[in-house]
Structures are given as C-alpha cells and as structure tokens.
Amino acid sequence: MDSSVQQFMSRLALSDNTQASTAEVSRRVAAGDLDWTGAVADAIASQGGSQAWQHEDLYLHLQRALAKTLGIGNIQLVVRLPLVLRPDVEREKFVTRLMAVELARHQSAEDLARAVFEAAPDPDVSYELRACLLHELVRRPVAVEEHPALRSFAAVLAADGHPLAQLPCHLLPLEQVERDSSWFPFGPVSRVPKEPLSTPLLARRRAADTTVTEVRDPDRAASIGTAVREWTEVSNGRVAAHVFTVQPPLDPRDFGALFGRLPLACRSDTPELWTTTADTVLDILRSAASSGGAYSNPLFGTYGRLAAWQSLAGLVGLSPQTPVPQIAREAEHTHWFLFDTEADWFDAVAWDLAIAALRPGGTSGEGQEIAVLAATDTD
C-alpha cells in the first residue's frame, strides 16, 4: 500500500469525525488523482466486515465525489467499486439508486454510454445500477434512441422482464410540465397548483339522489397506495385508499356536494376542495415516492417515477402493470381533485397528501367511480 494511503487510513481510523478526510478525498478527486482515490477505496473495501463507522462514512462520500466530478475516468472507477462494504440488501438498494441519480445529474450522457453501456457487460458493474442509470438519463431527459448502447440495454431490460422496463424510455407529456420550484409537491396544499371548487345549493340538490357504494378491493387499494407504501412499512405513516361507485352519473362540477358524504376518516366535516390536473397529481405522487417519508428511504427518481405511475393506475382503475401510455390516456380523461389536510387524521408536519379522482366509468363499465388516496407521516 502506498505510504500516503497508509497514513491516510491510519489517521482516519483514529479520527473523531471524517471532516478532514472527506475534504482530502474531495481535493484528490477534483485534481484527477484516480490512482490514490482508487487505492483508498480498495483499502477500505479490503477491511471486509470489520469497518469502523469512519470507513462507512468516507466510502459513501468517495463514491459520491467520483459520481459528481465530470470525467470518464471517475465514472469507470466508481461503477466498478463495490456498492456497499458489507452485505445489506436495503443499503445496497439505497446506494445503487443514489449513485444512478448522481451520475445522471453530473456526467455527460456520452461518457456514461461509453463507460457503462458500450463495453461488453463487466461483471464488476452492477446490472441494477445500469438499469437505474438508464432511466435516470430518461428523466434528465436524454434521447435514448440516439444512443445505440442505451437503446440496446433498454431492450435487455424488456427481455429480462425487469420492473423498470414498464417505464417508457422517454418522458410522456404528463411528465414534461415545467414546475415552479417554490411549491412543495406534498405537504401544505396551499402551494400546489389548483382551482377552488364551489358547492352551491343547487349542486347539493342535484347530488342528493346519488347513491355511493364502497368497493372493497384490497389489491386495488394496495395499488393506489404504491407511491406511499414505505411511509407505513418503514416509517410512522398512515394511508387511506378507497374506491366508490356512483349512481347515477354525477356532473364533475357537483363533486363537492357528494364528496362530503363519503365515509372517509381522513377528511374534515366540511372539507375544502380544489380541482387540479393529471400532471399535478402525477408530480405529487412522484415526489412522495422519490423523497420518502419521515424515516423511510427515498425511492429516488427512477423507482419514484415507477411508483407514481402505478399509484395513478390504481386511481384510474387499471392494473399497476398496465403500459404507462395507457395509464396516461385514462388519467387525462379523469377529473382530479385535491382536498385539505385539516382533519385530525393528518399529522400536518410535512408529509401529507389528499387526492380524489372521478372517472367516467367503473371497472364494471357501469356508472362512475371515485377513488381517494390520503397519506400522512410524522417524525
């Protein structure tokens, strides 16, 4: 081992924090000192399962520094490093998705295609990292069809039946709406694009004879809640997913008069409602999944995108495995609403969302259907 690397490792093991060590790694990476950086990475990885906490902390910093610093050499080194220092499925999943985000955000598509996708499959390069990276590039967006190596790997994913193969290798119109970065996609509903929905007396009269029947379908409810599943499985969250049939059909302008009658524990007695659009709902779902709950790991961009489309499929009455363009078409024919999160059911910290959908026909082809997704989490 090079003496400077050996000295660095000795200092690291004795340090109370990694601030000085991470600063040196950042400086070396910025200077293009890949021999030294690679030697440090190998030295940490060679410790096997006995790593001190300093090693864990520095190793992730080193990976991110390489991923974020422009250059094909940095890419070639980071994608061949072990993703984690010890066997840990959840940790490896987290780091894989994070690395894909950082690489796609900071490196050129041309360098990534050459270093990761063009060469014959390298057993040291994670298949899952390549899958995530391909679809992070789609989100950038990169024209996959213009890069033969990317296009070829997309075909491999489809042939393998990989979950991400459900996603198109281009952004659909619902995903291309420019957002004002000042609004937080979930949490305080006041910041979300919407229009208030009034409920005049005449609307109440028209809706008075409407019959609402709840549909008990655990699989459908699970599909609707896909984007916030980890809020309940890993964190402190609660999710409410409901489906109702409506007879006779309701004018969407009268939705507020009917919504107040739905047996929902997650709404207040006189909920405030707003109309919104399919692209806004999709973005709320994507942000909820990508960012995660209070204590759950984020899914990051690629799997957050997939979870959002699968939740949207559930809300519009389709299977979560439905082709995404078909989900988009159904979503565009659905009336979308947001309702307030003032009820006691919501924790009202930062992780709150409340969505309702009114679609023209139910799964039986009769009448209309209302689907509701509400979620909340707290630290």
Side-chain angles (χ1 to χ4, degrees), residues 211-216 240-246 257-269 271 339 345 370 372 374:
T211 300
V212 178
T213 305
E214 185 160 11
V215 178
R216 304 287 184 178
H242 301 272
V243 177
F244 305 90
T245 57
V246 180
L258 186 64
F259 186 75
R261 291 166 42 196
L262 298 182
L264 301 174
C266 60
R267 64 161 178 78
S268 57
D269 290 336
F339 59 98
W345 187 89
I370 295 172
V372 176

Side-chain angles (χ1 to χ4, degrees), residues 20 85 90 100 139 168-169 196-197 204 223 233 245-246 276 301 310 336 355 362 369:
L85 294 177
E90 288 305 311
R139 293 182 61 248
C169 284
L197 180 68
R204 298 181 193 279
S223 174
E233 293 183 352
T245 57
V246 180
T276 190
Q310 291 179 339
W336 295 99
I355 299 165
E369 192 174 79

Side-chain angles (χ1 to χ4, degrees), residues 16-238:
D16 293 330
N17 62 70
T18 60
Q19 186 173 354
S21 299
T22 55
E24 183 168 358
V25 165
S26 295
R27 180 176 62 79
R28 294 271 191 166
V29 171
D33 193 348
L34 296 182
D35 289 340
W36 184 91
T37 307
V40 167
D42 289 342
I44 296 174
S46 69
Q47 299 297 315
S50 61
Q51 292 87 358
W53 67 266
Q54 296 98 323
H55 293 175
E56 296 269 6
D57 187 64
L58 185 74
Y59 192 72
L60 181 58
H61 175 82
L62 184 151
Q63 288 175 304
R64 295 189 70 183
L66 287 168
K68 294 167 69 173
T69 305
L70 194 64
I72 195 166
N74 295 325
I75 300 170
Q76 290 170 331
L77 176 55
V78 74
V79 298
R80 285 163 178 79
L81 293 176
L83 284 161
V84 294
L85 294 177
R86 67 189 77 191
D88 184 329
V89 173
E90 288 305 311
R91 181 66 174 169
E92 184 165 341
K93 188 185 299 182
F94 173 87
V95 174
T96 300
R97 297 173 184 181
L98 175 62
M99 289 299 104
V101 169
E102 299 287 17
L103 285 165
R105 182 177 297 164
H106 297 284
Q107 303 291 342
S108 73
E110 291 73 22
D111 282 352
L112 288 168
R114 286 173 55 203
V116 182
F117 296 98
E118 281 185 4
D122 187 330
D124 291 332
V125 180
S126 160
Y127 172 80
E128 182 65 10
L129 176 62
R130 296 167 77 201
C132 291
L133 180 55
L134 172 69
H135 282 281
E136 289 296 344
L137 289 171
V138 172
R139 293 182 61 248
R140 240 176 71 175
V142 168
V144 168
E145 66 277 6
E146 295 178 5
H147 296 269
L150 300 182
R151 192 170 63 243
S152 175
F153 186 69
V156 169
L157 290 183
D160 290 348
H162 192 282
L164 294 178
Q166 183 182 355
L167 292 171
C169 284
H170 61 276
L171 296 181
L172 274 66
L174 288 184
E175 300 176 288
Q176 296 179 27
V177 178
E178 291 189 11
R179 296 294 178 202
D180 178 354
S181 60
S182 67
W183 70 272
F184 194 49
F186 55 100
V189 76
S190 60
R191 302 181 190 177
V192 178
K194 61 194 181 301
E195 294 293 335
L197 180 68
S198 61
T199 309
L201 179 60
L202 187 58
R204 298 181 193 279
R205 290 174 178 168
R206 286 194 296 261
D209 296 329
T210 302
T211 300
V212 178
T213 305
E214 185 160 11
V215 178
R216 304 287 184 178
D217 185 341
D219 291 339
R220 173 84 180 275
S223 174
I224 290 171
T226 301
V228 287
R229 180 177 299 150
E230 293 210 356
W231 292 21
T232 58
E233 293 183 352
V234 181
S235 192
N236 301 313
R238 291 187 300 278

